Amino acid sequence: MNIEGVRAIYLFEMARMRRTLLQSVVSPVITTSLYFIVFGAAIGSRMQEVDGISYGAFIAPGLIMLTLLNQCIGNGSFGIYFPKFTGTIYEILSSPISTAEILIGYVGAAATKGLIVGTIILLTASAFVDISIAHPFLMALFFVLTAVTFSLFGFMIGIWAKDFEQLNIFPMLVIPPLVFLGGSFYSINMLPPFWQTVSHFNPVLYLVSGFRWSFYEIADVNPAVSLAIVVGFLVACLSVTAWIFKTGYKLKS
Amino acid sequence: MAPIVSIRNLTKRYATGFTALKGVDLDIEEGEILALLGPNGAGKTTMISIICGIVTPSGGTVTVAGHDILADYRKTRSIIGLVPQELTLDSFETVWSTVSFSRGLHGRKPDPALIERILKDLSLYDKKDTMLRHLSGGMRRRVLIAKALSYEPKVLFLDEPTAGVDVSLRKDMWQLVERLRAAGVTIILTTHYIEEAEEIADRIGVINGGRILLVEDKKALMTKLGRKQLTVELAEPLAAIPPSLAPFGLALAGTGERLVYEFSTTGERTGISSLLSALSQAGLRVRDVSTEQSSLEDIFVELVGEDR
Ligand SMILES: Nc1ncnc2c1ncn2[C@@H]1O[C@H](COP(=O)(O)OP(=O)(O)OP(=O)(O)O)[C@@H](O)[C@H]1O
Ligand SMILES: [Mg+2]
């Protein structure tokens, strides 16, 4: 195993992220604070509790997930897209390093940064509302699994994207609606039956619901199902990535 | 000794349908310097990219030190170094960090002393903390070389290392190649400058249209080049060469009005004066005499021209 190679990629990526850390921490912190001020304090004060907890506390897990997904997809995709774009990928391709090792380097770094920013958001949230974590271990498991899975998903987008527009489609256009419609700001029980059914096709619902269960033991879907869906998605992403490297799809001509 | 790089019937058809390599066979000996000459689009970069793992081959095999480049990629890629043709570097990294990165990527433990020496050798040490985007083209080229040397490859591919490089840097580069060779590194370089190939290569290969047209020892090539042709134009055409002129090994050309004599400029005597006196003794009247020398450039142009 080429441990030095993995370390080189990981540290390279972490250094790149450190250069943009300010922007990647400040912007989600501001956004999250705004959500808490607008939804939590202004609107939430007029709202009833949801499933027995204050509205502000209810939305916190969803907001953390929103940031985590965006960070991981953004970092994962940019990390591999950029060398492809500039041509420096030649060095990775001509190195004695395996697919798995490349993945550990890039995805590991993207997930690490996602987890750092996610933790900062969790702390920000706890400054606004009372947050209790009923199952810290499960919460950490969801946190890490989601970070890894979506960093990997981002990695795939980075390989697939042929320009910056495609690179941004997921973080800008796909993730926000899925997060907003995935029960981050409401319990799907509040929806009419038809929309409840539709919501069950939204993968983010399972993430947010499972994650929230680890905080407050309230969920829209069975937490075991949530966990299974995340693991399933992780396996799917791993398979696609393995295929990408095997065939050289969009990496080698 | 078994060749360090062995290429057999290598083909490459790009997704566009274009066939860039049409069955290349080439053996590269350990410790030699092989210069690959070929016009734009000949397939030089394609061939190198396949050996290094950047492009997937469509057919054929390549082994490096006996290991297959696909099955045993870890072994082959830790032996091979590559300095690519394009000046592709990260903009925001420093010289030092990008060179150290290359070493790590190739599975080598950090060795700051080695990197310092490489940077000093390439006159880059005073730029070690400079961001790559603030470097000039020639400096970037040197950084790419430093990156490739950082992991101490045994076989080094230099894809047009002296393109866009000034005369003094070119001389430095040649010296560097000489030093690497002394350290036992096998070097394959592509170039468009024939005098560069003449200057530093042990063997010269010519590639065109995805095929190797010639691979020859530079010395053998140079002796060929050291040969001159003397053409004697006669006043009256001959039907056959008179027996008295047989020792000169002449050839009759045209419709018998031209005699062609080949001689070596490196030999002690050319035999021109004795030929001329033998001609007059045989009673032949000479109208004109001309000499011609072929250069590597001629050979190259001729080969590539015929191939078109
Ligand atoms: N990715 C690609 N897709 C399709 N065709 C390609 C690709 N890369 C190279 N080619 C074609 O393959 C041929 C050989 O290209 P290559 O880069 O190997 O030439 P070269 O000998 O290195 O030329 P040069 O001296 O200009 O660097 C060219 O006709 C080129 O257009
Ligand atoms: Mg080329």
Side-chain angles (χ1 to χ4, degrees), chain B residues 26-286:
Chain B
L26 179 65
D27 281 332
I28 299 162
E29 302 302 328
E30 186 160 2
E32 77 167 332
I33 301 179
L34 175 71
L36 274 181
L37 291 167
N40 290 132
K44 304 179 294 293
T45 301
T46 302
M47 189 181 99
I48 291 176
S49 301
I50 291 177
I51 301 173
C52 296
I54 300 161
V55 168
T56 44
S58 307
T61 57
V62 182
T63 61
V64 179
H67 305 289
D68 183 81
I69 53 156
L70 298 179
D72 270 340
Y73 69 93
R74 269 197 212 269
K75 290 234 174 64
T76 64
R77 292 184 201 165
S78 46
I79 295 171
I80 296 174
L82 168 66
V83 179
Q85 178 175 3
E86 301 294 330
L87 294 172
T88 43
L89 284 169
D90 287 298
S91 311
F92 300 101
E93 296 293 315
T94 64
V95 172
W96 184 272
S97 71
T98 198
V99 175
S100 309
F101 173 73
S102 298
R103 184 174 169 84
L105 207 51
H106 283 76
R108 307 286 203 275
K109 291 238 165 349
D111 186 348
L114 173 81
I115 295 194
E116 183 176 329
R117 198 167 71 235
I118 291 171
L119 291 183
K120 281 182 175 157
D121 277 352
L122 288 161
S123 325
L124 279 172
Y125 194 67
D126 56 327
K127 298 273 178 197
K128 70 183 169 55
D129 297 319
T130 306
M131 258 206 248
L132 295 170
R133 66 194 172 118
H134 294 145
L135 296 181
S136 75
M139 291 172 188
R140 281 160 197 252
R141 179 74 66 193
R142 277 181 279 170
V143 172
L144 285 173
I145 295 174
K147 278 166 81 75
L149 297 183
S150 71
Y151 46 88
E152 304 160 282
K154 292 223 300 254
V155 178
L156 183 62
F157 288 91
L158 298 163
D159 200 353
E160 296 189 27
T162 53
V165 150
D166 69 19
V167 182
S168 87
L169 180 52
R170 185 169 303 167
K171 291 264 153 66
D172 286 355
M173 211 83 93
W174 293 354
Q175 276 171 14
L176 176 76
V177 167
E178 224 17 85
R179 278 205 303 275
L180 289 172
R181 187 244 287 279
V185 179
T186 308
I187 294 165
I188 299 91
L189 67 103
T190 70
T191 178
H192 288 288
Y193 304 108
I194 290 168
E195 58 293 0
E196 180 163 275
E198 275 187 47
E199 180 79 25
I200 55 177
D202 299 314
R203 282 201 304 160
I204 291 173
V206 177
I207 179 170
N208 187 37
R211 284 199 184 85
I212 300 264
L213 302 183
L214 161 154
V215 187
E216 215 164 326
D217 224 64
K218 185 179 67 178
K219 290 212 187 78
L221 217 50
M222 294 317 273
T223 19
K224 269 191 201 163
L225 302 181
R227 293 199 77 75
K228 272 195 168 183
Q229 263 188 358
L230 176 81
T231 307
V232 180
E233 221 163 296
L234 300 170
E236 289 100 28
L238 281 179
I241 296 167
S244 64
L245 298 178
F248 293 99
L250 300 174
L252 210 53
T255 48
E257 78 282 6
R258 281 204 309 273
L259 283 172
V260 180
Y261 171 59
E262 283 209 352
F263 62 97
S264 167
T265 48
T266 51
E268 204 143 282
R269 60 179 89 146
T270 58
I272 294 177
S273 46
S274 48
L275 172 68
L276 290 178
S277 57
L279 284 175
S280 67
Q281 264 166 32
L284 299 175
R285 276 205 300 133
V286 175

Side-chain angles (χ1 to χ4, degrees), chain A residues 88-109:
Chain A
T88 52
I89 189 134
Y90 87 87
E91 211 183 356
I92 307 280
L93 295 178
S94 61
S95 296
I97 192 164
S98 69
T99 311
E101 290 156 2
I102 295 174
L103 278 182
I104 296 171
Y106 277 108
V107 173

